[in-house]
Amino acid sequence: MLYFIGLGLGDVKDITVKGLEIVRQCSRVYLEAYTSILTVGKEALEEYYGHELLLILKGADVSDVAFLVVGDPFGATTHSDLVLRALNSGIQYRVIHNASIMNTVGCCGSQLYNFGETVSIVFWTDTWRPESFYDQIKKNRDMGLHTLCLLDTSAHLKIYEPPRYMTVAQAAEQLLEILQNRRDRDTVCVGLARIGAEDQTIRSGTLQELASCDLGGPLHSMIISGHLHPLEVDMLKLFSGPEGLKTLKMTDSSNYVS
Amino acid sequence: MLYFIGLGLGDVKDITVKGLEIVRQCSRVYLEAYTSILTVGKEALEEYYGHELLLILKGADVSDVAFLVVGDPFGATTHSDLVLRALNSGIQYRVIHNASIMNTVGCCGSQLYNFGETVSIVFWTDTWRPESFYDQIKKNRDMGLHTLCLLDTSAHLKIYEPPRYMTVAQAAEQLLEILQNRRDRDTVCVGLARIGAEDQTIRSGTLQELASCDLGGPLHSMIISGHLHPLEVDMLKLFSGPEGLKTLKMTDSSNYVS
């Protein structure tokens, strides 16, 4: 049996009881560390699970094998390819679900029902400055929907450079450059850092405000709000600085629905 | 401290290790059983957690109190109102996240990034037959996006009647009535039942096929596909019956992108 086990987003104890029991009984345990990162290292996981973790997937065999995925196994990147290859080899699989950024983003009070398509924001280079994510955000905005922006985690400007994680401030700056003088510079945005971890940080405000905020270490993501329900506004005020509070009261009326 | 603790979707062991530790140390533990249901009863939870569960929220006090929510605490219904009332009374809160239908729906291989706005399908009565959810589905379809349809769980035709849970077959029937002779009757749909539980069941096919399938007990939900990536098609084939397989090969080309 090949088990896909979600680890959640925080630390070692965010694995489910079911997931932990399976990990401890498996003969081999693999860790997928590509698409997301926990706020604790591989060593902390190994100590807590009582298992060495193998970083490279070598294929499943006849014994029980666990494949650990930060967040939910099908949350950020689907592991469909691995599922299909396993089944083709006669290996059964089972998924142990957990929280991922796709649902925990609701912790800032923004209604998950009101999100449109998720977009990815990539690091610009001197020669490559794609703006397509803005068109997707605008489409959602035009329908009154919020947009979850997943921020670049994989850019390597040079080979052998360590991975870089885009911050909310960097994403806000890129969006401001695209927007220039348009009026939706006042849109209510939310920066989210290390959701699920002890030191998770949420900050709401305009792009301008988020461009100058420091939310600390990775992973960061961002919401561009659509139509806001009064209760959503009340929640977002919890996460705004003194200026942000003002902004949330004064922002253009298209953000509000009574 | 008021803890919001996600229970995940399956059985008692889908709580996280962190969540279980907190539940066992809290002085009072409340269970929210409105928006979703676990596949095990309240008694099984009480036995596993070693705690009596109170079904009615009476407000938080000075000791540690846990509020248990099936899925993720902010997954289906935001508990923003409770958060705001707690903070107004000087009570701190903390969220322990978990999987919810909003992210586990990826288990059928449909890319979470490619979902548009989520819709709710309600039971029709003789005099009330809203079709607004179809317009939302169509908007998503026109942009090539999938739609997660949450099915009615709260309809009471008469006072004192037990809650009823809409099945995939019932939802498919209502959609077919709306569609009548339109061509998107061939759209690839996915019925999902009891996701996260041992006996979870997934079935892909046309609305016609889903209208006659029996996926067993609640909760059910449904995906109306938008543009399908070949890998998504391969995954959905895993969940189709003999007829469904044919349908997935022969369906109109707008469902596929190369």
Side-chain angles (χ1 to χ4, degrees):
Chain A
M1 178 73 84
L2 174 62
Y3 291 96
F4 290 79
I5 302 176
L7 300 185
L9 297 171
D11 56 39
V12 294
K13 292 187 175 176
D14 283 318
I15 193 171
T16 66
V17 174
K18 188 186 286 173
L20 183 61
E21 285 180 0
I22 292 170
V23 164
R24 289 192 169 154
Q25 90 195 8
C26 275
S27 59
R28 280 157 48 209
V29 182
Y30 295 96
L31 172 65
E32 190 262 27
Y34 262 117
T35 51
S36 200
I37 50 166
L38 279 179
T39 50
V40 295
K42 172 167 163 282
E43 293 70 27
L45 290 178
E46 287 179 331
E47 193 182 331
Y48 188 67
Y49 299 156
H51 238 305
E52 184 196 3
L53 298 177
L54 308 168
L55 277 168
I56 301 166
L57 177 67
K58 291 177 192 170
D61 59 16
V62 289
S63 54
D64 277 352
V65 172
F67 184 54
L68 308 183
V69 182
V70 176
D72 183 75
F74 291 83
T77 300
T78 68
H79 290 97
S80 305
D81 186 56
L82 192 55
V83 166
L84 293 167
R85 276 191 285 147
L87 289 176
N88 276 338
S89 310
I91 299 162
Q92 293 302 302
Y93 75 99
R94 190 172 159 207
V95 179
I96 311 298
H97 289 289
N98 212 318
S100 69
I101 191 66
M102 303 297 287
N103 70 335
T104 55
V105 71
C107 66
C108 69
S110 298
Q111 292 261 8
L112 291 181
Y113 297 163
N114 297 333
F115 277 75
E117 188 178 7
T118 301
V119 313
S120 295
I121 300 186
V122 296
F123 278 118
W124 279 350
T125 65
D126 290 341
T127 54
W128 191 58
R129 300 163 66 88
E131 298 195 355
S132 52
F133 55 83
Y134 173 72
D135 300 328
Q136 288 176 280
I137 293 170
K138 189 159 186 326
K139 240 185 253 177
N140 287 337
R141 288 266 303 159
D142 289 346
M143 292 185 292
L145 301 176
H146 311 319
T147 306
L148 170 62
C149 304
L150 303 174
L151 309 187
D152 203 338
T153 60
S154 59
H156 299 251
L157 291 185
K158 289 175 191 166
I159 297 170
Y160 305 125
E161 263 193 2
R164 292 168 53 207
Y165 302 100
M166 185 183 283
T167 65
V168 164
Q170 289 167 326
E173 263 169 40
Q174 287 192 186
L175 272 168
L176 280 173
E177 279 199 52
I178 295 174
L179 288 171
Q180 301 282 356
N181 296 314
R182 305 187 206 198
R183 64 188 282 277
D184 35 356
R185 289 169 70 99
D186 291 330
T187 298
V188 176
C189 300
V190 190
L192 308 108
R194 300 174 305 288
I195 293 305
E198 290 283 337
D199 66 342
Q200 77 171 33
T201 304
I202 302 175
R203 175 72 194 271
S204 60
T206 61
L207 282 176
Q208 196 71 55
E209 285 159 353
L210 293 186
S212 58
C213 74
D214 178 8
L215 300 184
L219 285 178
H220 290 196
S221 49
M222 190 162 66
I223 299 170
I224 316 293
S225 295
H227 242 38
L228 285 169
H229 184 277
L231 202 56
E232 292 181 312
V233 174
D234 286 344
M235 281 294 288
L236 290 185
K237 281 179 186 167
L238 299 178
F239 309 114
S240 59
E243 281 198 51
L245 263 168
K246 208 178 84 209
T247 308
L248 279 165
K249 280 178 190 149
M250 292 173 59
T251 191
D252 67 309
S253 61
S254 72
N255 280 319
Y256 296 90
V257 59
S258 57
Chain B
M1 178 72 82
L2 174 63
Y3 291 95
F4 290 80
I5 303 177
L7 301 185
L9 298 171
D11 57 37
V12 295
K13 291 187 176 177
D14 281 320
I15 193 170
T16 66
V17 174
K18 187 186 286 172
L20 183 60
E21 285 180 1
I22 291 171
V23 165
R24 290 190 169 156
Q25 89 193 9
C26 276
S27 60
R28 280 157 48 210
V29 182
Y30 294 97
L31 172 66
E32 190 262 27
Y34 262 117
T35 51
S36 200
I37 50 165
L38 279 180
T39 49
V40 294
K42 173 169 163 280
E43 294 68 26
L45 290 177
E46 286 179 333
E47 191 183 332
Y48 188 69
Y49 299 156
H51 238 305
E52 184 196 5
L53 297 177
L54 309 168
L55 276 168
I56 301 165
L57 176 67
K58 292 177 189 171
D61 60 15
V62 289
S63 55
D64 278 351
V65 172
F67 184 54
L68 309 183
V69 182
V70 176
D72 183 75
F74 291 84
T77 299
T78 68
H79 289 98
S80 305
D81 187 56
L82 192 54
V83 166
L84 293 168
R85 275 190 286 147
L87 290 176
N88 276 338
S89 311
I91 300 162
Q92 293 302 301
Y93 76 99
R94 192 173 157 204
V95 180
I96 311 297
H97 289 289
N98 212 318
S100 69
I101 191 65
M102 303 298 287
N103 70 333
T104 54
V105 70
C107 67
C108 68
S110 298
Q111 292 262 7
L112 291 182
Y113 298 162
N114 297 334
F115 277 76
E117 189 178 6
T118 301
V119 313
S120 295
I121 300 186
V122 296
F123 278 118
W124 278 349
T125 66
D126 290 342
T127 53
W128 191 59
R129 300 164 66 89
E131 298 195 355
S132 52
F133 56 82
Y134 172 72
D135 299 328
Q136 288 176 280
I137 293 169
K138 188 159 188 326
K139 241 185 252 178
N140 287 337
R141 287 266 304 159
D142 289 345
M143 292 187 292
L145 301 177
H146 311 319
T147 306
L148 170 62
C149 303
L150 303 174
L151 308 187
D152 204 338
T153 61
S154 58
H156 300 253
L157 290 185
K158 289 174 189 165
I159 298 171
Y160 306 124
E161 261 194 4
R164 292 169 53 208
Y165 302 100
M166 184 183 281
T167 66
V168 165
Q170 290 168 324
E173 263 170 39
Q174 288 193 186
L175 272 168
L176 279 172
E177 281 200 48
I178 295 175
L179 287 171
Q180 302 281 357
N181 296 314
R182 306 189 205 196
R183 64 189 283 278
D184 34 357
R185 288 168 70 100
D186 293 330
T187 298
V188 176
C189 299
V190 191
L192 308 108
R194 301 173 305 287
I195 293 303
E198 290 283 337
D199 65 340
Q200 77 171 33
T201 304
I202 302 174
R203 176 72 195 271
S204 60
T206 62
L207 281 175
Q208 196 71 56
E209 285 159 352
L210 292 186
S212 58
C213 74
D214 177 7
L215 300 184
L219 284 179
H220 290 196
S221 50
M222 190 164 64
I223 299 171
I224 315 293
S225 295
H227 240 38
L228 285 170
H229 183 277
L231 202 56
E232 292 181 310
V233 174
D234 286 344
M235 281 293 290
L236 290 184
K237 282 180 185 166
L238 298 178
F239 310 114
S240 60
E243 282 200 49
L245 262 168
K246 208 177 85 208
T247 306
L248 278 165
K249 279 177 191 148
M250 293 173 59
T251 190
D252 67 311
S253 61
S254 72
N255 280 321
Y256 296 89
V257 59
S258 58

